[in-house]
């Protein structure tokens, strides 16, 4: 292969690589960072201890609630329960938090009543955003 042919081939390869790189839409590098390290805060003001049984967040793109794994946590009255999580698939969209919990039954030891829910307000999700649910 001659020197001219080698240079032309190298130039053609470089040009093809450059065109291929610009033909693909660039994914924003920050997209996966939007909903990382989100601060979830639950304040128990029910007058009784509660047991948190589920923690969910709204995924507006899929139009459904997504569950965040959580242990069943007992929170005394007047106390705060908090977690830092990543809300996957939300990015920089408006979302909210839903907490499902139970109050103790009026009779019996260790028995919990029917499931209840509390909600945070809607806010655009971003790194370090605080979602607070006050349970009354």
């Amino acid at each position: 292969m001659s020197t001219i042919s080698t240079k032309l081939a190298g130039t053609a390869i470089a040009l093809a690589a450059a065109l291929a790189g610009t033909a693909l839409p660039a994914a924003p590098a920050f997209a996966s960072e939007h909903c990382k390290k989100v601060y979830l805060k639950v304040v128990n003001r029910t007058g009784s201890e509660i047991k948190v049984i589920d923690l969910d967040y709204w995924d507006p793109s899929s139009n459904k609630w997504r569950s965040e794994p959580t242990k069943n946590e007992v929170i005394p009255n007047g106390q705060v329960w908090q977690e830092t999580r990543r809300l996957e698939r939300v990015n920089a969209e408006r979302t909210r938090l839903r907490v499902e919990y139970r109050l103790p039954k009026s009779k019996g030891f260790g028995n919990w009543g029917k499931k209840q829910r509390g909600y945070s307000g809607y806010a655009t999700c971003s790194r370090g955003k605080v979602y607070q649910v006050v349970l009354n």
Side-chain angles (χ1 to χ4, degrees), residues 11-126:
T11 302
I13 291 171
L15 181 59
L19 289 174
T22 58
L24 298 174
F30 59 85
S32 64
E33 296 293 318
H34 281 299
C35 254
K36 279 188 175 181
K37 295 188 180 179
V38 175
Y39 183 66
L40 312 175
K41 181 178 179 181
V42 178
V43 182
N44 180 8
R45 293 190 183 149
T46 62
S48 176
E49 69 180 359
I50 62 169
K51 182 188 279 190
V52 173
I53 57 173
D54 198 14
L55 184 63
D56 305 313
Y57 61 94
W58 182 248
D59 177 355
S61 296
S62 299
N63 202 31
K64 67 180 182 179
W65 288 99
R66 295 198 180 274
S67 183
E68 273 294 299
T70 185
K71 293 180 184 177
N72 290 346
E73 294 279 341
V74 175
I75 306 168
N77 182 50
Q79 297 296 310
V80 174
W81 178 69
Q82 53 203 4
E83 295 275 330
T84 302
R85 300 287 180 97
R86 177 176 183 232
L87 305 184
E88 295 176 7
R89 299 182 183 146
V90 174
N91 296 323
E93 298 171 293
R94 289 179 53 81
T95 189
R96 73 190 301 196
L97 184 66
R98 176 175 73 186
V99 177
E100 293 183 345
Y101 65 99
R102 296 179 191 272
L103 291 165
K105 286 184 178 177
S106 57
K107 294 183 179 180
F109 178 76
N111 294 320
W112 296 93
K114 68 178 186 168
K115 181 170 48 176
Q116 299 185 45
R117 292 182 175 152
Y119 298 86
S120 72
Y122 279 97
T124 300
C125 198
S126 61

